[in-house]
Amino acid sequence: MSNKTLGLIHTSATLVPIFDKLCNEHLDCVDRFNIVDDSLISICIDEGELTPPTARRVVEYVGSAEDAGADYILVTCSSIGAAVETAATLTDVPVLRVDQPMADKAVGMGEKIGVIATLPTTLNPTSDLVERRAAKAGKEIELTSRLCEGAFDALMGGNPEKHDQMVAKALKELSDKVDVILLAQASMARVVDQLDESEKSVPILASPPNAVEYLASVL
């Protein structure tokens, strides 16, 4: 029997090595290929939201991944999550938005849930997803969303130290108010490793490992 094939769709080339590492650890018997188009996230940021033309392109990429032989498709950008859900209704293979396993895990861990992002185009879709997954699970939650405004610009502007300081500050402040924290962007996960254990008073979840671990359970 031939191996299953996973198609990954990214909005940044920087995500490829992150998911390569995770897939090597958890999906070593699964073949995979990558599709990358960073204009998708650039346009979302410029427009301030996921627009219909960009959503259509996401759907087309998902269709291309299916045509390329993917048995399962993972889209690794939270900002385009709504288009991913639409694409899932139009394909004959499963399609997963990267933050869904993380959202489901958070809903199962507590009632007070925090979401942190450095872009509003990511914060809003992930927050909406958490609320919908909680409703589907029949659980009432209290959601606190926090935007680290300016952190993304600092990171893209060559000042990762400022980005990390802003995210770390938000994590520490939110830890006193919630049961679990979700990182809405993969680029924020490294900040967690910089925190002292004493500063990690609640679980902090990142979407890439949760998504790949979920795929390992179904592939």
Side-chain angles (χ1 to χ4, degrees):
M1 180 181 294
S2 61
N3 291 346
K4 293 286 185 67
T5 297
L6 173 67
L8 298 100
I9 300 173
H10 310 282
T11 59
S12 172
T14 61
L15 293 173
V16 175
I18 293 173
F19 282 91
D20 274 349
K21 183 176 184 296
L22 288 167
C23 288
N24 287 337
E25 293 173 356
H26 300 283
L27 299 171
D28 58 327
C29 293
V30 176
D31 296 329
R32 60 185 184 270
F33 63 84
N34 298 285
I35 296 174
V36 182
D37 184 346
D38 56 11
S39 73
L40 294 171
I41 189 62
S42 296
I43 293 172
C44 282
I45 293 171
D46 289 343
E47 297 287 345
E49 62 181 351
L50 174 65
T51 60
T54 302
R56 184 186 68 247
R57 293 175 59 214
V58 173
V59 171
E60 290 170 350
Y61 277 126
V62 171
S64 294
E66 181 182 17
D67 291 343
D71 299 298
Y72 212 114
I73 299 167
L74 171 64
V75 184
T76 65
C77 176
S78 302
S79 292
I80 57 175
V84 177
E85 293 184 37
T86 298
T89 68
L90 302 173
T91 62
D92 293 325
V93 299
V95 180
L96 180 68
R97 57 179 287 177
V98 69
D99 47 357
Q100 182 174 312
M102 176 180 69
D104 289 340
K105 186 173 183 178
V107 168
M109 294 178 73
E111 296 178 353
K112 296 182 178 180
I113 299 175
V115 179
I116 292 181
T118 60
L119 283 171
T121 53
T122 308
L123 183 65
N124 297 334
T126 299
S127 299
D128 171 70
L129 176 66
V130 173
E131 291 177 329
R132 288 189 289 113
R133 298 305 289 182
K136 184 174 182 179
K139 183 174 182 178
E140 291 188 7
I141 63 168
E142 179 182 328
L143 186 68
T144 302
S145 299
R146 180 69 60 85
L147 177 65
C148 301
E149 194 166 359
F152 184 80
D153 290 338
L155 183 64
M156 293 297 100
N159 192 349
E161 293 81 8
K162 182 178 179 180
H163 165 275
D164 294 355
Q165 289 170 1
M166 295 178 71
V167 173
K169 182 174 183 290
L171 286 170
K172 295 171 188 176
E173 292 174 351
L174 201 53
S175 293
D176 296 331
K177 303 175 182 178
V178 299
D179 302 317
V180 57
I181 298 173
L182 287 74
L183 302 179
Q185 289 149 259
S187 58
M188 304 167 68
R190 62 187 187 146
V191 180
V192 179
D193 297 331
Q194 301 171 16
L195 298 177
D196 292 331
E197 288 303 317
S198 61
E199 296 172 324
K200 303 175 187 178
S201 57
V202 299
I204 302 172
L205 306 182
S207 57
N210 281 279
V212 174
E213 287 168 11
Y214 170 79
L215 289 173
S217 71
V218 298
L219 287 176

